[in-house]
Amino acid sequence: MALHGPDPRRGRMADQPALWAWEALHREKNSHLRRKRATRAVQVDDQRKRLDAARLICQDNDQPPHACTKAASNEICRKLRRTAAREPLEDAPRRLDPHLRPLCSTEGVASRRLANATMIPGIGLRTCTHPGCTRVAQQLPDSWSGKCMWERELHDDLSLRDAYCINSIAPWVGPSELNATVVDFTPNYLCDPDALPRIHATAEDPLLFRFIVMVRDPVMRAFSEWSMFTAWGWDPTKTFVAALDIKLRRLRNCNRTLYQNVPLLRALPTAELAGYMRQCFGRGQAMSYVETSSYGVCLLHALRYFRRQQFLFLRFEDVLRMRNAELLALVARFVGLDAPDATLLRAVAVHGQCQLGTEVGGGGSGSGGGGGGGSGRKAMSFSSSSANAAELLAAGAPRLERFLAPYDALLAELAHPALRWEASDHFLQPLNASQKVALLTAKRLREAKKRAGGGGARPRPLPATKFRDRTARTHGPHGPQGHL
């Protein structure tokens, strides 16, 4: 629900185009160099304009998400509405029918942590903020989160006591108002038992949807994700084996009857299958190493709502070997678009796009249909960032292979027999002593450079002063190295 934006055409912005707020976001993201070189006064002025736009969109927005006006029987909306009903809504509009009352954000000043706080200090009554918005207040630290933190400059430079930020990526437009296609990519949807049912329930025609599912060797995917979160300091486990012990024990104890029991999973009614995934599979969230790699269970649930021909399955290892023209033609044919011509391929190759070689934009053995060029940046990878990565992977791989075997067989049966992997697909060549020294030395130099520049090893939370692109936030960790 939070991905569905509030209506941005309010007040003096009523005559603006439907996408003005999202076009402004695009301009903001593409003006990084200008902001970097701008004076402090210009930066403060830009910040004030962003905050004013967010306030115009979010404040007193009494229109519920389109998904909740489509059908009063929508179970997702009913659940969220019950959550909102427990919070103070003194200023909720009375003119709407009860089943159309706007849903409140579950974050910021509307969070359940602040359910007993009916007033915002120095501001007044809490408002029913659209679920696509978050409001934070200086005097309510419990309203701050990693998604929208309070920044000292909000008060020091702008004399503010509260601020809004927009969490949504999908704009507010009616079905016949804009001919547009919204494309999103994340490894979370397939293993989230609520995501695909929600898409199906709110679609004008569910048969029009197309899903592209890129699956990597599940053992390597799990190891890569663990490597990334260990490097970031989010997972304190020192070895892949230790992480697997924790995750597999938790999954087995969650439901011993269904653990590795594919025949029983297949026989479950859809509601019970979703309940099991909701309780035990972590909704496809970060650090669900073994659950998110159990592709077969997630696909079993997805096919209860959409037909097999609506899915295009790609093995990540095969995609890396494809020429970009072949890959784009395949995707275009699947979604019903014209295949890109050579001119377009050459244009995007300059920017390092549409080529999944070992270097971004660097040509490589797989480049074609548009040539190389580009920046030559190495693709992001965490699975080989440790000097002992090969040994860590080798120690945990056999156990994970045994656990995943029935789920891998289910994936091949449901999707395609070619969706299988060999042990060689998750093998890393161990480094010799000199290579390990070189890797550790380079790592220390990078860390020293970050410290000298004021940077950090982990991504910083996005401030409340910026429009968030939730899609971008989700995918970095799962870039080529961690695709589901």
Side-chain angles (χ1 to χ4, degrees), residues 95-112:
R95 64 182 180 276
L96 292 177
D97 292 336
H99 72 280
L100 293 181
R101 178 170 292 179
L103 304 176
C104 284
S105 170
T106 58
E107 303 175 4
V109 299
S111 68
R112 274 176 272 182

Side-chain angles (χ1 to χ4, degrees), residues 145-165:
S145 71
K147 301 172 183 178
C148 291
M149 295 295 293
W150 182 263
E151 293 184 325
R152 190 176 61 184
E153 307 90 74
L154 294 175
H155 181 268
D156 294 352
D157 296 339
L158 302 171
S159 301
L160 293 176
R161 295 181 180 180
D162 72 316
Y164 290 89
C165 64

Side-chain angles (χ1 to χ4, degrees), residues 82-219:
R82 285 196 292 269
T83 299
R86 292 195 295 268
E87 302 169 353
L89 294 171
E90 288 83 357
D91 58 339
R94 302 293 195 269
R95 64 182 180 276
L96 292 177
D97 292 336
H99 72 280
L100 293 181
R101 178 170 292 179
L103 304 176
C104 284
S105 170
T106 58
E107 303 175 4
V109 299
S111 68
R112 274 176 272 182
R113 292 194 304 272
L114 296 169
N116 295 324
T118 59
M119 302 288 291
I120 303 174
I123 303 296
L125 285 172
R126 295 186 345 170
T127 58
C128 183
T129 302
H130 187 284
C133 297
T134 295
R135 187 184 188 186
V136 295
Q138 181 185 21
Q139 298 301 319
L140 291 177
D142 281 346
S143 69
W144 313 345
S145 71
K147 301 172 183 178
C148 291
M149 295 295 293
W150 182 263
E151 293 184 325
R152 190 176 61 184
E153 307 90 74
L154 294 175
H155 181 268
D156 294 352
D157 296 339
L158 302 171
S159 301
L160 293 176
R161 295 181 180 180
D162 72 316
Y164 290 89
C165 64
I166 300 178
N167 291 333
S168 57
I169 184 62
W172 174 284
V173 289
S176 60
E177 189 172 9
L178 183 69
N179 183 17
T181 299
V182 177
V183 179
D184 192 15
F185 65 103
T186 172
N188 297 39
Y189 291 153
L190 196 67
C191 293
D192 184 336
D194 294 322
L196 290 182
R198 185 182 303 153
I199 293 172
H200 186 274
T202 58
E204 290 292 329
D205 184 355
L207 293 177
L208 295 179
F209 276 89
R210 295 294 180 269
F211 302 91
I212 301 174
V213 184
M214 186 182 295
V215 283
R216 188 182 186 180
D217 177 300
V219 173

Side-chain angles (χ1 to χ4, degrees), residues 28 34-35 38 41-51:
E28 172 71 17
R34 185 186 71 81
R35 297 197 311 275
V42 172
Q43 291 176 344
V44 170
D45 186 60
D46 287 347
Q47 188 180 43
R48 181 180 288 106
K49 291 178 180 177
R50 290 196 300 272
L51 288 168

